[in-house]
Amino acid sequence: FELLLFSNFLLKFKVDSINKKIDPRTKYEVLVELSDSRVVPSMSPKYFLRSANNIKNFAPMAGISHKKTVMCKENGPWIIYESDRYGFNNYDKIWNNDNLFSYVIGDSFAYGACVNQNETISAKLGKYGYNSINLAYSGNGPLYMLGSLKEYYKLKKVNYVLWFYYEGNDLIDLQAELGYENFNLQKYLDDEFSQNLIKKQNFINEQLTKFYVNEQKKRLEINSKIKKERIKKYGYSGRASNFDFKRFLKLYEIRVILGIAEYRVSDKTKETFFEIVSNAKNFAEKNNSKFIFIYLPRYAKNMKYSNNYQKNEIINGLKMLDIPVLDIHEKIFKKHSDPLSLFPFRKKGHYNKEGYDLVSREVLKFLNLSIK
């Protein structure tokens, strides 16, 4: 049965077609070719916080403002977007709008990796008549999400706070966030705490630029060489197209379906997670916004039958907190005739533009709102 699962995947995985569609350049090569002071790579805020060179007691929540930002290329071409006045993935004019529907909070899935700026969840909500601001960023864990909400909510009032939870790594990211030494992100559990980041964008730009020039640029160059060697060895599809004998012997795909091939975090981390989400809900409600929790499933070769990471524990805990939950796995992926088609080239990664579009539509359906 394990062999059947693996073979079924390979039948749908056309390596040759992928090779023709994926831009062969690495992110570093793109940056070198563009070689422009207005072009920077997307830089997850957590990497800045992990750096040994950054200043203490300062944690940015997004990237450098008003820059052409090189993101990723899962769907073939490199995605380059123009960051807004606060370094987020929005068209800047959205901040001039006083009639706003929601803030979108989350990690790379809510951020919009790896699609065009007009294909993200927040952009699609806007297209359907519900103007939304994207406060998500790649690499965010729950504490970063809470920080982004509290730092930038004060700029505009919204009807909804849409908290997008990705089951693949949000709890793992939280476990890391709890251990950062340069900045204690748990300060955001205090409603009175703020870094006043909306008034420090010039300072944020200055620090992130130094971080890029002094550290990230060199790291991207090293990673570029490693990726080139990997492509020579495995092709653009990577190891996914190769038979993994160890995984086969361990019956990995069967264990995924049975829900026994998962990484589990500590009970303390889960307790902190519920405290964070409860705090975000209370904050939203104090500001007259409704809080909605959207559960996003990870990639699995058999989406309809895969077991979700600690899903029941998460959803049951949220119900006890009286938090509305939209389960995207149940509403979209489990019902879809071909769920793998919602991922880039049917392989592990973020959702493609069709996947993001279905999520945005399902959010509006959940809220009993029509598409305008």
Side-chain angles (χ1 to χ4, degrees), residues 19-34:
N19 288 348
K20 295 175 182 177
K21 294 178 181 179
I22 294 181
D23 190 319
R25 298 173 298 171
T26 63
K27 182 178 285 190
Y28 178 75
E29 288 174 330
V30 173
L31 290 164
V32 170
E33 285 183 25
L34 294 175

Side-chain angles (χ1 to χ4, degrees), residues 85-144:
R85 67 190 68 177
Y86 298 110
F88 291 104
N89 185 11
N90 296 291
Y91 291 112
D92 190 69
K93 63 183 180 182
I94 191 69
W95 291 103
N96 299 329
N97 198 322
D98 291 324
N99 183 26
L100 292 172
F101 171 70
S102 71
Y103 283 123
V104 169
I105 309 293
D107 69 354
S108 53
F109 283 78
Y111 169 60
C114 299
V115 297
N116 293 314
Q117 198 168 51
N118 63 348
E119 296 168 338
T120 66
I121 294 171
S122 56
K124 285 294 183 180
L125 290 172
K127 179 183 176 182
Y128 295 138
Y130 302 91
N131 292 318
S132 299
I133 290 181
N134 188 353
L135 294 182
Y137 214 92
S138 180
N140 279 1
L143 280 171
Y144 262 114

Side-chain angles (χ1 to χ4, degrees), residues 315-361:
I315 291 182
N316 290 337
L318 294 168
K319 286 180 179 178
M320 293 178 65
L321 296 172
D322 196 30
I323 293 176
V325 179
L326 168 56
D327 185 348
I328 294 298
H329 179 67
E330 291 291 330
K331 295 295 183 180
I332 295 179
F333 289 92
K334 209 168 183 179
K335 295 179 179 180
H336 201 278
S337 60
D338 186 13
L340 290 186
S341 69
L342 304 179
F343 292 89
F345 302 110
R346 310 180 65 83
K347 69 179 208 174
K348 184 178 180 180
H350 300 87
Y351 309 150
N352 56 27
K353 64 180 181 180
E354 289 80 14
Y356 286 130
D357 185 50
L358 286 176
V359 171
S360 63
R361 287 172 175 267

Side-chain angles (χ1 to χ4, degrees), residues 27 31 39-45 47 62-64 67-72 78-81 83 87 89 111 113-114 137-138 208 211-212 216 220:
K27 182 178 285 190
L31 290 164
V39 180
V40 296
S42 59
M43 293 182 287
S44 173
Y47 293 132
I64 304 173
K67 291 285 188 179
K68 290 180 181 178
T69 306
V70 182
M71 192 198 298
C72 47
W78 275 102
I79 299 299
I80 302 175
Y81 69 90
S83 61
N89 185 11
Y111 169 60
C114 299
Y137 214 92
S138 180
L208 289 179
F211 174 59
Y212 168 52
Q216 282 294 89
L220 286 169

Side-chain angles (χ1 to χ4, degrees), residues 17-283:
S17 64
I18 293 176
N19 288 348
K20 295 175 182 177
K21 294 178 181 179
I22 294 181
D23 190 319
R25 298 173 298 171
T26 63
K27 182 178 285 190
Y28 178 75
E29 288 174 330
V30 173
L31 290 164
V32 170
E33 285 183 25
L34 294 175
S35 190
D36 186 327
S37 61
R38 289 202 66 251
V39 180
V40 296
S42 59
M43 293 182 287
S44 173
K46 71 180 181 183
Y47 293 132
F48 177 83
L49 210 56
R50 289 176 182 175
S51 169
N53 299 318
N54 74 342
I55 60 176
K56 301 281 185 180
N57 301 317
F58 167 65
M61 297 289 132
I64 304 173
S65 65
H66 295 306
K67 291 285 188 179
K68 290 180 181 178
T69 306
V70 182
M71 192 198 298
C72 47
K73 60 169 183 175
E74 284 180 357
N75 291 287
W78 275 102
I79 299 299
I80 302 175
Y81 69 90
E82 182 84 18
S83 61
D84 68 17
R85 67 190 68 177
Y86 298 110
F88 291 104
N89 185 11
N90 296 291
Y91 291 112
D92 190 69
K93 63 183 180 182
I94 191 69
W95 291 103
N96 299 329
N97 198 322
D98 291 324
N99 183 26
L100 292 172
F101 171 70
S102 71
Y103 283 123
V104 169
I105 309 293
D107 69 354
S108 53
F109 283 78
Y111 169 60
C114 299
V115 297
N116 293 314
Q117 198 168 51
N118 63 348
E119 296 168 338
T120 66
I121 294 171
S122 56
K124 285 294 183 180
L125 290 172
K127 179 183 176 182
Y128 295 138
Y130 302 91
N131 292 318
S132 299
I133 290 181
N134 188 353
L135 294 182
Y137 214 92
S138 180
N140 279 1
L143 280 171
Y144 262 114
M145 297 176 202
L146 181 64
S148 299
L149 174 64
K150 290 190 171 182
E151 289 290 347
Y152 294 95
Y153 184 103
K154 62 194 76 173
L155 288 164
K156 300 284 181 179
K157 297 295 182 181
V158 295
N159 297 324
Y160 289 92
V161 170
L162 304 177
W163 184 286
F164 287 85
Y165 169 85
Y166 173 59
E167 69 171 9
N169 57 23
D170 275 12
L171 290 179
I172 297 171
D173 286 337
L174 173 58
Q175 199 154 265
E177 289 176 337
L178 293 172
Y180 291 148
E181 296 181 359
N182 287 333
F183 187 90
N184 180 11
L185 289 166
Q186 292 184 77
K187 291 179 179 180
Y188 281 112
L189 289 168
D190 179 357
D191 286 340
E192 301 302 316
F193 176 76
S194 174
Q195 296 185 74
N196 294 312
L197 294 182
I198 57 175
K199 297 180 180 180
K200 298 178 179 178
Q201 194 57 46
N202 288 337
F203 178 72
I204 293 170
N205 291 347
E206 178 185 328
Q207 294 303 317
L208 289 179
T209 300
K210 287 180 181 178
F211 174 59
Y212 168 52
V213 172
N214 296 336
E215 187 170 325
Q216 282 294 89
K217 197 169 184 178
K218 186 64 178 177
R219 184 175 298 171
L220 286 169
E221 184 180 5
I222 293 171
N223 288 341
S224 178
K225 293 177 182 177
I226 293 172
K227 287 178 181 178
K228 285 293 184 180
E229 289 300 317
R230 192 173 296 162
I231 288 171
K232 286 181 182 178
K233 188 173 183 180
Y234 299 107
Y236 290 106
S237 60
R239 300 188 186 192
S241 62
N242 290 14
F243 186 81
D244 192 323
F245 190 67
K246 288 184 178 180
R247 280 195 171 194
F248 173 71
L249 286 180
K250 293 178 180 179
L251 304 179
Y252 177 79
E253 297 302 330
I254 292 174
R255 289 188 296 117
V256 166
I257 291 176
L258 296 176
I260 54 177
E262 63 179 45
Y263 179 90
R264 298 187 68 85
V265 299
S266 67
D267 290 339
K268 177 63 177 175
T269 299
K270 277 183 282 189
E271 289 173 13
T272 306
F273 169 75
F274 289 121
E275 182 183 0
I276 292 166
V277 178
S278 178
N279 188 287
K281 172 181 179 284
N282 293 336
F283 177 84

